[in-house]
Each structure stands twice: as structure tokens, then as C-alpha cells.
Amino acid sequence: MGLPMIYSLIIDAGTSSIRGIIFDTDHKIVHIASQRYFMDVSEDGTALQKAESYQVCLEKMMQDCAEWAEGRKGKIHRIALTAGRSSVLPVDEKGDPLGPIMMWYDKRPQDICDRLNADYGDEIYRVTGMYARPMFSAPKMRWLKENYPAVYEQSHKLAGIQDYLIFLLTGEWVTDLTFASRTNLLDLNSNRWSDRMLEIFGIDEQKLCRLVEPGAEVGVLKESWQNRGFDRKTKIYTAGGDQQCSAIGQGLLASGKIGINNGTASYVAVCSRSRLEDKEKVIHVNKGAALGTWIMEASNMGTGSVYDWMRKILFDFEEDTVSIEAMNEALNNSTAGADGIIAWPYLAGKGMPDWDSHKAGGLLNLKLSSTKENIARAFLEALVFEIADCYRRIERMVGRPEVIQVSGGLSKMPLFNQLLADVLDRKLVTVSCKETTGIGAYISMLLGCGEIEEKDISDILIQEKTAVYTPEIEQVTLYTALQKKRRQIEERMPFEAISE
């Protein structure tokens, strides 16, 4: 009787689902399990999620993966985690939640950020690589302290989603440098919690998790998981933040590449062996998921979320494949330039470079003859313009890349990719692999274990069917003029949300 097959499990906890991705010893994905949950977003900028939903979905997903491995007379011998960054969950000494998770999407700390940036903005950027923004953890912690002081005082830890999941698996409170670099509290030079930032934000260091390197082993499974088909000796690793892992999965560690990853929001990223300086101080500088690397990011506040809003509001569709295909077909039948309709997609606030959660969306040039297809087209074009602004800031910092690689949900839409190529006036490459984040997390774990070196990464990356999109000259001319017109209008119209 031969030895059982052994597998590696990657846990990818995103904004709307938690996924379990199983790899075999040949580095191939052999099984995927997924559980969905939902973020509760309110008009005042609140974005919350129940911690219990993560625990329940984690258990269901883990059970699915354990049963799959057992059915093949195999076992999962190690688990690595990646997750969305910058969410905050207060927990007590037992690890029980003291309230809901403040998600990265939560805009309520905007006023705190405005105050702190006015007084300490340049210092915060110099130490942490980012100005204070509502999406980051420290402003949320400060908001919690100011608005719910009893919860803050009772909290044993102010944990991120990944910290909480690691605790559920191991009983340990740890976080790695990639997540810490999205808090506004990490000193990027020393790789330690910054005493000065803790003072500025008013946060107690003992409420933060212990720091480790990405790819590090953080413990073994708690005994309670043995009854669910897992070995007590199953090792647990932290792979790094979702965007850092996605950068590895996209192959961005290779020089000469810029990646555009489109999920709930869009992230334009480039990797480097050293910290690159942004003279404009708008690019976010973070720790990379491969040891000794850095990642520079520019992002908006909503791409997939705005697309879903369009689909539900304009087409009255529920979330299913048929509705997505129907909307995409309608968009394909729309007119370039949206028949003169101009949209501003700031439904979740404006991202780079302003980072203003008070911004709101808008539409101009509506007529009785305007169709929902062209209204949707106007919003899609507006999203592309916003992503293009992010890209150009990265390109100004690092120069024109050899390859621009597009991934994520909307990259499955040819119209979106062609629009992006036309607006950027750059050739784009898309890779059909849907699991760049999971693959990147798997590679981060292997690097941390010392099983592979960076030169081996290309052998693991799944480069499936590739499509190339080349700018069309007439469309480049059209969208260059339209972008100029949009900027002129926006200079006169601030698109601030109107309060009662």
C-alpha cells in the first residue's frame, strides 16, 4: 500500500467569498471550494460584515476540502492564508468578536484622516508609505476609539480578517508585514510597529498582532479541527495580502511588467526590489509577499461594485451568469462615447489621487433618446478613465513597461479590455487564469518554506490562454478628447455628495 497523496490548501478570503484552493505536489490546482457572504454597505459610508459569517463559511469550506482529499485517500498537510487587507475586528481575550468587522470599504474615518493628514500627513507618508486614508486600518481603529471607547478598551486585539482566521485555525494572534504595511502603523524601514505612528493615531501596541514575514509558518491546527478530517500536525502559513499575492500570481516579480487587477476595486501595481519614491506622494508603497520585495499600488474605490450596481439598477437583474451575459451583450451594442453621455463613477467615493469619500457619482447629457445601454456604457467608460489615471501615475514613476497585464473579473469582458487599451493607448495582455491570488499565495508559501527559489516561479505560474488588445487609432482619438472634456467639467463641478 502506497503513501497517501498529500495536498496544500490555500485559503483566499475576499470581500464577497472565501475560497479553498487545493494544489497537488505537481503544483496543479485540483479542487476549489467556495462559500459566499455579503458586506452590508450603508449610505453614510458604513461597510460592515459579521465575523460569524467568516467562521461559518471557513468551517464549511474546510469540510468540503477535507472530504475531497479523503475521497482520494489523501490528506491536506499544510494550509496558507491570504485575505483582503485593512479591515478591523475588535475581539476579547477569548477571541470572541466584540462587534462586526469594519471592512476596508468603510468610509466613516474620512474626517479623522483629514485632521491627521493636515497635521502629520508628510510624516505619515514618509514612515508608512501612505497618507492616512479611510480604507486603512489605523484610521478605523482611531474611529472605533473615538466613537465606541468601551469597545476599544475591552478589545484584546484589533484584528484583520486574516488575523482572525489564523486565530480560528491556530489560536495565535499574528500578522505578516504585507498586511501590517496597509495599516498606517508599520515603519517600512525597520519592519516594526512605529512608536510615532501609534502616538499619532492613538493606538495601543498591545492591541496589535505579533509581526512575522510573509510566507512564515505561524502554527499548527488546533486540536478541535481533528474531528473535521484534518491532521493535528497540519502546518499553517501566512501568505500575504490579496493584492500582494495577486502580483506574484500575475508574474509581476519579473521586471518590466505593470499589472491591473480588477475586483471590487481596481489596483494598478508594480513590484520592485527596493522602495521606489513617488514625488507626488500619491502611490501607496507596501511590503511585497515575496521576502525582500516591495509593491507600489494605485487604486480606485469601486470597479466591480459599480458594475454590479449598473447591472441591478439599469437591467433589474439578479446575480447570475445569464444576467451578466445579457448586460455585456447590451454593452457591446452601445455606442462608443455613449452617445454623448458622460458619467462619473464615484459611487463609493473617489480613489487616487484625491481619496475623497465625500465624492459622489454623476451623469451629464441625458436626453429623452438616451438608452440604458448607453448609460451603462458611459459608466463603463468612466471606470476605464479612472483606472487609466491610476496607471499613468505608476508609469510616471517607473517608466513605460514591456507588458501591461490585466486580470480579475472584468478582464473576462473583451469590451472592457479594448476600452482600456484605447484609453491608455497601450497594448494589453490578459491571461484567462482566474486564480492569480491563490496561485500567488501558494508561491509565497513555497518561497517561505524554502522549497523553491524565485527563479522557479515561472514553472508554477498558470499562463493559460492569452489575449492581446491593441489600441485602435480612431478610438484613441475619441477617448483622448473625451477625457480632456471630462477633466474640464470636473474642475467646475466638484461632484460632492449633497447632504440634507
Short mmCIF file of all heavy atoms in Angstrom, two decimals, residues 12 34 58 68 103 106 111 140 144 157 165 247 257 271 322 327 332 362 371 375 382 387 410 416 418 423 444 470 474:
data_model
loop_
_atom_site.label_atom_id
_atom_site.label_comp_id
_atom_site.label_asym_id
_atom_site.label_seq_id
_atom_site.Cartn_x
_atom_site.Cartn_y
_atom_site.Cartn_z
N ASP A 12 -8.33 31.75 0.52
CA ASP A 12 -8.39 33.10 -0.03
C ASP A 12 -9.69 33.74 0.42
O ASP A 12 -10.76 33.44 -0.11
CB ASP A 12 -8.29 33.04 -1.56
CG ASP A 12 -8.38 34.41 -2.22
OD1 ASP A 12 -8.42 35.43 -1.50
OD2 ASP A 12 -8.43 34.47 -3.47
N SER A 34 -15.92 26.96 -2.43
CA SER A 34 -16.21 28.37 -2.20
C SER A 34 -17.47 28.54 -1.37
O SER A 34 -18.43 27.77 -1.51
CB SER A 34 -16.36 29.10 -3.54
OG SER A 34 -16.65 30.47 -3.35
N LEU A 58 -15.75 29.53 6.73
CA LEU A 58 -14.46 28.85 6.84
C LEU A 58 -14.68 27.38 7.16
O LEU A 58 -14.06 26.50 6.53
CB LEU A 58 -13.62 29.51 7.93
CG LEU A 58 -12.31 28.80 8.29
CD1 LEU A 58 -11.31 28.89 7.14
CD2 LEU A 58 -11.72 29.37 9.58
N TRP A 68 -12.98 16.11 0.20
CA TRP A 68 -12.45 15.87 -1.15
C TRP A 68 -11.13 15.10 -1.06
O TRP A 68 -10.91 14.15 -1.80
CB TRP A 68 -12.24 17.20 -1.86
CG TRP A 68 -11.75 17.04 -3.27
CD1 TRP A 68 -12.50 16.92 -4.40
CD2 TRP A 68 -10.37 16.92 -3.69
NE1 TRP A 68 -11.69 16.76 -5.50
CE2 TRP A 68 -10.38 16.74 -5.09
CE3 TRP A 68 -9.16 16.94 -3.02
CZ2 TRP A 68 -9.21 16.60 -5.83
CZ3 TRP A 68 -7.99 16.79 -3.76
CH2 TRP A 68 -8.02 16.62 -5.14
N MET A 103 -15.11 46.86 7.48
CA MET A 103 -14.46 46.41 6.26
C MET A 103 -13.59 47.51 5.66
O MET A 103 -13.75 48.70 5.96
CB MET A 103 -15.51 45.95 5.25
CG MET A 103 -16.33 44.76 5.74
SD MET A 103 -15.32 43.28 5.97
CE MET A 103 -14.99 42.84 4.25
N ASP A 106 -15.13 50.77 4.39
CA ASP A 106 -15.81 51.69 5.31
C ASP A 106 -15.22 53.10 5.18
O ASP A 106 -14.01 53.30 5.31
CB ASP A 106 -15.68 51.20 6.75
CG ASP A 106 -16.75 51.75 7.65
OD1 ASP A 106 -16.84 52.99 7.76
OD2 ASP A 106 -17.48 50.96 8.28
N ASP A 111 -13.08 61.97 8.13
CA ASP A 111 -12.77 63.20 8.86
C ASP A 111 -11.52 63.04 9.72
O ASP A 111 -10.74 63.99 9.87
CB ASP A 111 -13.97 63.60 9.72
CG ASP A 111 -15.16 64.05 8.88
OD1 ASP A 111 -14.95 64.40 7.71
OD2 ASP A 111 -16.30 64.04 9.40
N LYS A 140 -9.44 53.40 11.06
CA LYS A 140 -10.61 52.69 11.58
C LYS A 140 -10.46 52.44 13.08
O LYS A 140 -11.44 52.54 13.83
CB LYS A 140 -10.80 51.36 10.83
CG LYS A 140 -11.14 51.49 9.36
CD LYS A 140 -11.40 50.12 8.76
CE LYS A 140 -11.71 50.19 7.28
NZ LYS A 140 -10.55 50.55 6.47
N LEU A 144 -12.97 53.81 15.90
CA LEU A 144 -13.57 52.94 16.91
C LEU A 144 -13.30 53.49 18.30
O LEU A 144 -14.21 53.52 19.16
CB LEU A 144 -12.99 51.53 16.76
CG LEU A 144 -13.63 50.43 17.60
CD1 LEU A 144 -15.04 50.13 17.10
CD2 LEU A 144 -12.78 49.16 17.54
N LYS A 157 -7.49 42.41 21.03
CA LYS A 157 -6.81 42.66 19.76
C LYS A 157 -7.76 43.39 18.82
O LYS A 157 -8.98 43.21 18.86
CB LYS A 157 -6.37 41.35 19.09
CG LYS A 157 -5.32 40.56 19.86
CD LYS A 157 -4.00 41.31 19.96
CE LYS A 157 -2.98 40.51 20.76
NZ LYS A 157 -1.71 41.29 20.96
N LEU A 165 -8.82 34.69 11.06
CA LEU A 165 -8.86 33.34 10.51
C LEU A 165 -7.68 32.51 11.02
O LEU A 165 -7.84 31.32 11.34
CB LEU A 165 -8.85 33.39 8.98
CG LEU A 165 -10.07 34.04 8.31
CD1 LEU A 165 -9.90 34.06 6.81
CD2 LEU A 165 -11.36 33.33 8.70
N ALA A 247 -0.12 39.94 -7.25
CA ALA A 247 1.02 40.42 -8.04
C ALA A 247 1.97 39.28 -8.37
O ALA A 247 2.49 39.19 -9.49
CB ALA A 247 1.75 41.53 -7.27
N LYS A 257 6.99 44.72 -15.98
CA LYS A 257 5.56 44.46 -16.03
C LYS A 257 4.79 45.38 -15.09
O LYS A 257 5.24 45.65 -13.97
CB LYS A 257 5.25 43.00 -15.63
CG LYS A 257 5.64 41.96 -16.66
CD LYS A 257 5.15 40.58 -16.23
CE LYS A 257 5.45 39.53 -17.26
NZ LYS A 257 4.92 38.19 -16.87
N CYS A 271 6.00 45.71 -9.01
CA CYS A 271 6.87 45.19 -7.95
C CYS A 271 8.29 45.70 -8.15
O CYS A 271 8.70 46.05 -9.25
CB CYS A 271 6.86 43.66 -7.97
SG CYS A 271 5.28 42.94 -7.52
N VAL A 322 -26.52 34.39 -16.40
CA VAL A 322 -27.35 34.83 -17.51
C VAL A 322 -27.44 36.35 -17.52
O VAL A 322 -27.32 37.02 -18.55
CB VAL A 322 -28.75 34.20 -17.44
CG1 VAL A 322 -29.65 34.79 -18.51
CG2 VAL A 322 -28.66 32.69 -17.59
N MET A 327 -26.22 41.70 -19.86
CA MET A 327 -25.74 43.07 -19.75
C MET A 327 -24.53 43.30 -20.65
O MET A 327 -24.43 44.34 -21.31
CB MET A 327 -25.37 43.40 -18.31
CG MET A 327 -24.81 44.80 -18.14
SD MET A 327 -24.59 45.24 -16.43
CE MET A 327 -23.57 46.72 -16.62
N ASN A 332 -22.12 45.69 -25.56
CA ASN A 332 -21.50 45.51 -26.88
C ASN A 332 -22.30 46.20 -27.98
O ASN A 332 -21.74 46.56 -29.02
CB ASN A 332 -21.36 44.01 -27.20
CG ASN A 332 -20.28 43.34 -26.38
OD1 ASN A 332 -19.31 43.97 -25.97
ND2 ASN A 332 -20.45 42.05 -26.12
N GLY A 362 -22.10 60.87 -10.91
CA GLY A 362 -22.92 61.81 -11.65
C GLY A 362 -23.07 61.43 -13.11
O GLY A 362 -22.32 60.61 -13.63
N THR A 371 -30.52 55.74 -23.96
CA THR A 371 -30.87 54.35 -23.66
C THR A 371 -30.08 53.85 -22.46
O THR A 371 -29.01 54.37 -22.13
CB THR A 371 -30.56 53.45 -24.86
OG1 THR A 371 -29.14 53.44 -25.08
CG2 THR A 371 -31.28 53.95 -26.12
N ILE A 375 -26.21 54.54 -21.14
CA ILE A 375 -25.93 54.97 -19.77
C ILE A 375 -24.93 54.02 -19.13
O ILE A 375 -23.96 54.44 -18.49
CB ILE A 375 -27.23 55.04 -18.94
CG1 ILE A 375 -28.14 56.15 -19.48
CG2 ILE A 375 -26.92 55.27 -17.47
CD1 ILE A 375 -29.51 56.18 -18.84
N ALA A 382 -16.29 55.49 -17.89
CA ALA A 382 -15.81 56.28 -16.75
C ALA A 382 -14.90 55.46 -15.85
O ALA A 382 -13.89 55.96 -15.34
CB ALA A 382 -17.00 56.82 -15.96
N ILE A 387 -9.32 54.08 -13.96
CA ILE A 387 -8.22 53.11 -13.91
C ILE A 387 -7.02 53.65 -14.68
O ILE A 387 -5.86 53.51 -14.24
CB ILE A 387 -8.67 51.76 -14.49
CG1 ILE A 387 -9.78 51.15 -13.61
CG2 ILE A 387 -7.49 50.79 -14.59
CD1 ILE A 387 -10.50 49.99 -14.27
N LEU A 410 -13.54 41.72 -14.47
CA LEU A 410 -13.92 42.44 -15.68
C LEU A 410 -12.99 42.16 -16.85
O LEU A 410 -13.32 42.47 -17.99
CB LEU A 410 -13.97 43.95 -15.40
CG LEU A 410 -15.23 44.46 -14.71
CD1 LEU A 410 -15.20 45.97 -14.57
CD2 LEU A 410 -16.49 44.04 -15.45
N PHE A 416 -14.35 45.69 -22.21
CA PHE A 416 -13.63 46.39 -21.15
C PHE A 416 -12.14 46.44 -21.48
O PHE A 416 -11.50 47.49 -21.36
CB PHE A 416 -13.86 45.68 -19.82
CG PHE A 416 -13.00 46.19 -18.69
CD1 PHE A 416 -13.36 47.32 -17.99
CD2 PHE A 416 -11.84 45.51 -18.32
CE1 PHE A 416 -12.57 47.80 -16.95
CE2 PHE A 416 -11.05 45.98 -17.29
CZ PHE A 416 -11.42 47.13 -16.60
N GLN A 418 -10.66 46.19 -24.43
CA GLN A 418 -10.39 47.04 -25.59
C GLN A 418 -10.51 48.51 -25.21
O GLN A 418 -9.69 49.35 -25.66
CB GLN A 418 -11.35 46.71 -26.73
CG GLN A 418 -11.03 47.43 -28.04
CD GLN A 418 -9.64 47.09 -28.55
OE1 GLN A 418 -9.31 45.92 -28.73
NE2 GLN A 418 -8.81 48.10 -28.78
N VAL A 423 -8.03 53.79 -24.23
CA VAL A 423 -7.88 54.95 -23.35
C VAL A 423 -6.42 55.11 -22.93
O VAL A 423 -5.90 56.23 -22.86
CB VAL A 423 -8.80 54.82 -22.12
CG1 VAL A 423 -8.49 55.90 -21.09
CG2 VAL A 423 -10.26 54.91 -22.54
N SER A 444 4.05 32.11 -2.48
CA SER A 444 4.58 32.77 -1.28
C SER A 444 4.89 31.74 -0.20
O SER A 444 5.95 31.81 0.46
CB SER A 444 3.59 33.81 -0.75
OG SER A 444 4.00 34.34 0.49
N THR A 470 -4.89 45.63 -28.84
CA THR A 470 -4.09 46.71 -29.41
C THR A 470 -4.95 47.95 -29.58
O THR A 470 -6.11 47.85 -30.02
CB THR A 470 -3.52 46.28 -30.78
OG1 THR A 470 -2.75 45.07 -30.60
CG2 THR A 470 -2.63 47.36 -31.36
N GLU A 474 -8.68 55.39 -34.14
CA GLU A 474 -9.86 56.26 -34.10
C GLU A 474 -10.42 56.36 -32.68
O GLU A 474 -10.83 57.44 -32.23
CB GLU A 474 -10.93 55.73 -35.05
CG GLU A 474 -10.59 55.89 -36.52
CD GLU A 474 -11.74 55.46 -37.42
OE1 GLU A 474 -12.81 55.10 -36.87
OE2 GLU A 474 -11.56 55.48 -38.64
#
